[in-house]
Amino acid sequence: MAPRTPRSVVSVAPGVVFVEGPVSNWVVLAEEDGVALIDAGYPADTDLVLDSVLLAGHDLEELRRVYVTHGHVDHVGGLPGILDRFPHVEVLAHADEVDNVRGPARQQVTPAEIGGRLAAPRVLRWLGRAIASDALRPTTVPSARAFTARDFDGRAMTPLPAPGHTDGSTAYLLPAADAIVTGDAVVTHHDTQPASWAPRPRMITPFFTADQALAVESAGVLPYPAIVLPGHGPAVHRVGSEWVPITA
């Protein structure tokens, strides 16, 4: 099996490194008291996530917390492996999302629900990548807790509720970087979508989403600063009226 490698790793602002992983994305953040992650990939991504902390110029012992956008396995699957090595790391999520993060049951599309869509080659290819990423491995994060306003005192980020994809889906605004981390509330591309679609902020394929109408409403009220760091697809920045992928 070929080694797992990220599709891209880009420093989008001082202290903010975006990783477009093999199938889903995460962000490495420098904070005053150490290092944080936003999301942590699939179960097979644990080592890749930790390697990205080193690539961003940090020591692994500096890792303090992981902020979760939502509790799907492609965004929390790497957490058990991280916590096995670094049990002091906090895992924080919106109160309405904590049960999804903790698992093992979670608000997520099932293989049976995907089955009827496998006639589309791009969906079949995505499913193969997901299974190769250990998507079917039972994932639990019992230490996950609900964040409070106090968790963001003095931090250069603001959580923004974005329900719909899941009940407690959350985006994180990074004002100093003029960026927003959207998770799957907004993506720029997904492997189940046509390859010809240009990367730009868009909705993820609807069958992944618990409440599509609410998700569309949430996406419509999110702020869109100069940079969008999505849960799938490349990071993009605004150039005039266009969205352009950010390259290393």
Side-chain angles (χ1 to χ4, degrees), residues 36-138:
L37 293 165
I38 301 179
D39 289 345
Y42 271 108
D45 288 327
T46 293
D47 288 343
L48 194 56
V49 173
L50 293 174
D51 286 347
S52 70
V53 173
L54 298 172
L55 188 62
H58 306 292
D59 190 287
L60 291 177
E61 297 298 330
E62 298 178 87
L63 187 58
R64 295 288 178 266
R65 60 193 60 86
V66 181
Y67 304 100
V68 176
T69 63
H70 64 292
H72 285 174
V73 70
D74 54 332
H75 295 263
V76 300
L79 288 174
I82 291 171
L83 294 172
D84 281 347
R85 291 180 59 182
F86 304 101
H88 66 277
V89 170
E90 286 192 292
V91 178
L92 307 174
H94 190 282
D96 292 339
E97 196 66 13
V98 169
D99 286 346
N100 279 330
V101 177
R102 288 176 178 168
R106 46 183 44 94
Q107 191 180 31
Q108 182 162 341
V109 66
T110 66
E113 292 168 330
I114 294 170
R117 299 173 172 86
L118 292 182
R122 58 182 177 269
V123 175
L124 186 59
R125 286 193 295 270
W126 164 79
L127 183 61
R129 294 185 187 108
I131 291 172
S133 302
D134 284 348
L136 302 180
R137 184 193 303 179

Side-chain angles (χ1 to χ4, degrees), residues 178-180 182 186 188 201 224-230 234-237 243 246:
D178 203 13
I180 186 169
T182 59
V186 174
T188 58
Y224 294 96
I227 297 172
V228 172
L229 307 177
V236 295
H237 66 126
W243 290 96
I246 300 174

Side-chain angles (χ1 to χ4, degrees), residues 192-218:
T192 57
Q193 297 170 338
S196 59
W197 287 9
R200 63 168 176 78
R202 65 174 73 245
M203 304 305 296
I204 197 168
T205 308
F207 69 76
F208 291 111
T209 294
D211 186 331
Q212 180 69 5
L214 181 56
V216 170
E217 180 181 339
S218 293

